[in-house]
Amino acid sequence: MKETDREAVATAVQRVAGMLQRPDQLDKVEQYRRREARKKASVEARLKAAIQSQLDGVRTGLSQLHNALNDVKDIQRSLADVSKDWRQSINTIESLKDVKDAVVRHSQLAAAVENLKNIFSVPEIVRETQDLIEQGALLQAHRKLMDLECSRDGLMYEQYRMDSGNTRDMTLIHSYFGSTQGLSDELAKQLWMVLQRSLVTVRRDPTLLVSVVRIIEREEKIDRRILDRKKQTSFVPPGRPKNWKEKMFTILDRTVTTRIEGTQADTRESDKMWLVRHLEIIRKYVLDDLIVAKNLMVQCFPPHYEIFRNLLNMYHQALSTRMQELASEDLEANEIVSLLTWVLNTYTSAEMMGNMELAPEVDVSILEPLLSPDVVSELLDTYMSTLTSNIIAWLRKALETDKKDWIKETEPEADQDGYYQTTLPAIVFQMFEQNLQVAAQISEDLKTKVLVLCLQQMNSFLSRYKEEAQSYKEEHLRDRQRPHCYVQYMIAVVNNCQTFKESIVSLQRKYLKPDVEEGVSRSQPAMDGVLDAIAREGCSSLLEEVFLDLEQHLSELMTRKWLLGSNAVDIICVTVEDYFNDFAKIKKPYKKRMTAEAQRRVVLEYLRAVMQKRISFRSAEERKEGAERMVREAAQLRLLFRKLASGFGEDADGHCDTIVAIAEVIKLTDPSLLYLEVSTLVSKYPDIRDEHIGALLAMRGDTSRDMKQTIIETLEQGPTQANPNYVPIFKEIVVPSLNVAKLLK
């Protein structure tokens, strides 16, 4: 309390100090005192009122406790009186036992009298019930059956209650009502028959289905009532509980399973498309059945039956089981595709479970898969394995067919641009396209795997294609008269390489997503390399054919016959141009390459003729005549190859200039200037070697041994700086060392 007083005084001092901070506030001291006095009086009044209220409550509580104590004492006295009266009446109750027994017997007799009418009419009711069942009046038949069962169950219950151990009387009652169970079974058969045809019945006569459902509902109520009574009396009538609702769903489930299994009308032996037909029938039946169930059957069943949801689950489970059975069979590749396409795509598409008529009750996003991932994976592995074997066989067969075309007596067909081609690329990529389209129906992942497989097999196929093209060339070289259209079909082989490259790129762009295209396209450079090699060898084979025909005329170059006026170069130009008229059927990238190669090889053979010392000029006039002839022939060749290269946009003069440069060395009249002319030649063609210079000087026929030696040794000492764009040509020309030794003597 002292602490509280000190806190109160401190608070008061602080409050007063707050009121009297200025001198002019002293005049209001009396006013402050009166105001604080009023506040104090108000607080004291509230305290008194609160204390008075608490005292009144305590007083009321004490009064109620006192009254409760008196009531408890009164109840205690009353209980004592009741206990006393009960002890006195025990003897009286025991004396009324006979009356109690009489009441029980009276109750039983009354029940027997009440049921006598029903008991005596049992045979008649049985006949009426049987007739009603046969007539299809199921509701009336069930009503009669319920009356029979009620009478039987009532009598058996009374007997059980009176003497549960008296099995003889229970058996007698059961025997008397023996026909009741048979009627129940017969009625049940009728119900199950209606349920088995429920999808048809609900369209033709929905009232019949409603009657069946009402009967099942009645039986369910009776089952529940009997089970509740069993908890109290342990008595259960025979045949109960019937569980007809549970049996109803079992019947519906069996009906759904039978309907799914019964849709297979054909076998593989009778129809190659048996699985496609089977799956399409399933799709149509299931969709139609579920639409009927959603729109019609739901109205015939109580909501708590959830008939549509249950039927949906039944169909889903039956389909899953059927798909598992089909997956376990030894399916062919096209059948695996049909099955997986149906399971993974068709089932959830708008053609089936995703149909708008089933929404929103059917949500395809929550449907369980019909086949487990392991089964799907196993099927895909089987499909890929089979597809690999098929692709290998198809490619081999396509190549064999193409090879047969190579030996035909007629030219190959040309495309819309006039280029020779065979049907091989079209056949191969049509086959790839078909398999990719099929794989795309199943999944994006499988489509990518099939494309990778196609590219892998294409790689192997191209190696075989290369070998066959080489064999084709070798076979032709053994007898150049056969095959008759060798050149044309070799052109077609070369063109096929370009078609293959374009088709591979097109296939990847069409069937690969951008995010995976880079990874899969890594195999592209390897295939491009093989295709370029095939085309390069094909072009080389064609040029070899040209130079085999030119061999005789090339051998005339730089000979005495040539100097005297041979028309070898004219024949060479005519022959090359004639061949290149056929080569016009080659596609541009390869034709451009062939033209450049043909020019290089013609010039190379010309230069080789120079270096082989087929002629040694005897005079300045012969050197002049020979040099001028070389310049004319270089111009003639240049004109030819310019004509052949027209449309390529490239200079076709480079190699022909080499002949002119050699002619300048031969044409030189002053031997003292040979060193300067030869050094110019060497600086322009840095791959020229000593033996080439020696052969060239020997061809002039006027160079002394010392001069040759001096020129060669001087050129060896001077460094040569090659042009970075220079393409070597002399390094391919071999001059026998023996010839060089003789020239230097």
Side-chain angles (χ1 to χ4, degrees), residues 455-472:
L455 294 178
Q456 290 173 345
Q457 295 306 320
M458 184 68 188
N459 221 341
S460 302
F461 166 76
L462 291 177
S463 298
R464 294 195 298 273
Y465 191 49
K466 181 179 179 182
E467 294 171 0
E468 295 297 340
Q470 182 66 26
S471 300
Y472 183 53

Side-chain angles (χ1 to χ4, degrees), residues 123-273:
E124 182 181 353
I125 297 175
V126 168
R127 286 192 300 273
E128 291 176 355
T129 305
Q130 185 68 46
D131 292 341
L132 289 171
I133 292 175
E134 292 175 358
Q135 295 168 11
L138 302 182
L139 278 176
Q140 294 89 329
H142 185 251
R143 174 59 63 188
K144 296 283 185 181
L145 178 62
M146 288 173 62
D147 292 341
L148 287 172
E149 290 180 340
C150 184
S151 299
R152 180 198 64 186
D153 297 347
L155 289 173
M156 294 184 76
Y157 175 67
E158 292 298 331
Q159 177 61 36
Y160 177 85
R161 192 175 64 171
M162 183 178 66
D163 185 4
S164 60
N166 190 346
T167 58
R168 187 178 64 82
D169 290 347
M170 294 289 280
T171 304
L172 179 63
I173 297 173
H174 188 273
S175 176
Y176 185 75
F177 287 90
S179 301
T180 303
Q181 186 61 42
L183 289 174
S184 178
D185 294 340
E186 184 65 26
L187 179 61
K189 288 181 182 179
Q190 296 298 318
L191 300 183
W192 308 150
M193 288 176 62
V194 173
L195 287 170
Q196 288 170 356
R197 300 193 301 269
S198 56
L199 290 167
V200 177
T201 304
V202 76
R203 301 176 188 178
R204 298 178 180 175
D205 187 9
T207 56
L208 180 58
L209 183 59
V210 171
S211 299
V212 171
V213 176
R214 289 180 60 188
I215 292 170
I216 293 172
E217 271 291 276
R218 289 175 183 174
E219 291 294 338
E220 283 294 301
K221 290 179 181 178
I222 296 172
D223 281 348
R224 288 194 296 270
R225 187 169 65 248
I226 287 175
L227 291 175
D228 290 341
R229 189 172 66 181
K230 176 187 175 183
K231 297 176 182 178
Q232 301 173 357
T233 64
S234 300
F235 173 74
V236 179
R240 291 289 180 181
K242 292 184 179 180
N243 294 323
W244 277 8
K245 180 180 178 182
E246 181 180 340
K247 291 179 182 177
M248 175 195 75
F249 283 112
T250 302
I251 293 297
L252 288 174
D253 187 45
R254 192 183 310 129
T255 302
V256 168
T257 302
T258 303
R259 184 163 176 77
I260 297 298
E261 293 177 348
T263 54
Q264 183 175 344
D266 303 298
T267 61
R268 185 183 293 116
E269 290 72 20
S270 62
D271 186 357
K272 291 295 183 182
M273 300 298 290

Side-chain angles (χ1 to χ4, degrees), residues 156 231 268 346 376 388 407 448 468 490 516 578 589 596:
M156 294 184 76
K231 297 176 182 178
R268 185 183 293 116
T346 303
V376 172
T388 302
I407 59 176
T448 303
E468 295 297 340
M490 186 56 77
V516 296
D578 182 56

Side-chain angles (χ1 to χ4, degrees), residues 411-415 418-422 488 491-492 495 582 585:
E411 294 183 354
E413 296 181 357
D415 63 10
Y419 298 120
Y420 284 139
Q421 64 176 5
T422 67
Q488 290 82 359
I491 291 173
N495 287 339
D582 289 336
K585 304 289 187 177

Side-chain angles (χ1 to χ4, degrees), residues 398-406 422-424 465 496:
L399 184 54
E400 291 298 325
T401 303
D402 205 54
K403 283 170 56 182
K404 292 177 181 178
D405 291 342
W406 295 354
T422 67
T423 57
L424 182 62
Y465 191 49
N496 285 348

Side-chain angles (χ1 to χ4, degrees), residues 471-520:
S471 300
Y472 183 53
K473 168 192 170 183
E474 294 171 357
E475 185 69 25
H476 170 71
L477 291 177
R478 282 193 282 270
D479 180 2
R480 293 189 62 209
Q481 300 303 317
R482 302 181 62 84
H484 180 69
C485 296
Y486 167 77
V487 171
Q488 290 82 359
Y489 277 100
M490 186 56 77
I491 291 173
V493 169
V494 172
N495 287 339
N496 285 348
C497 294
Q498 182 66 19
T499 306
F500 276 129
K501 291 172 73 171
E502 294 170 354
S503 299
I504 290 169
V505 172
S506 174
L507 207 64
Q508 290 178 339
R509 288 177 179 173
K510 184 175 181 180
Y511 289 100
L512 275 185
K513 289 185 176 180
D515 54 343
V516 296
E517 184 174 357
E518 182 179 353
V520 176

Side-chain angles (χ1 to χ4, degrees), residues 549-599:
D549 286 349
L550 296 179
E551 188 173 350
Q552 176 184 352
H553 308 291
L554 290 170
S555 64
E556 290 184 11
L557 297 175
M558 299 299 135
T559 61
R560 184 62 56 181
K561 180 180 179 181
W562 168 78
L563 184 62
L564 295 175
S566 169
N567 61 349
V569 171
D570 294 333
I571 296 174
I572 289 171
C573 290
V574 170
T575 304
V576 170
E577 186 173 5
D578 182 56
Y579 267 102
F580 268 81
N581 286 333
D582 289 336
F583 296 164
K585 304 289 187 177
I586 299 177
K587 290 188 175 181
K588 190 172 183 179
Y590 302 124
K591 184 183 177 185
K592 176 181 177 182
R593 190 182 305 167
M594 279 190 69
T595 304
E597 180 64 17
Q599 181 191 16

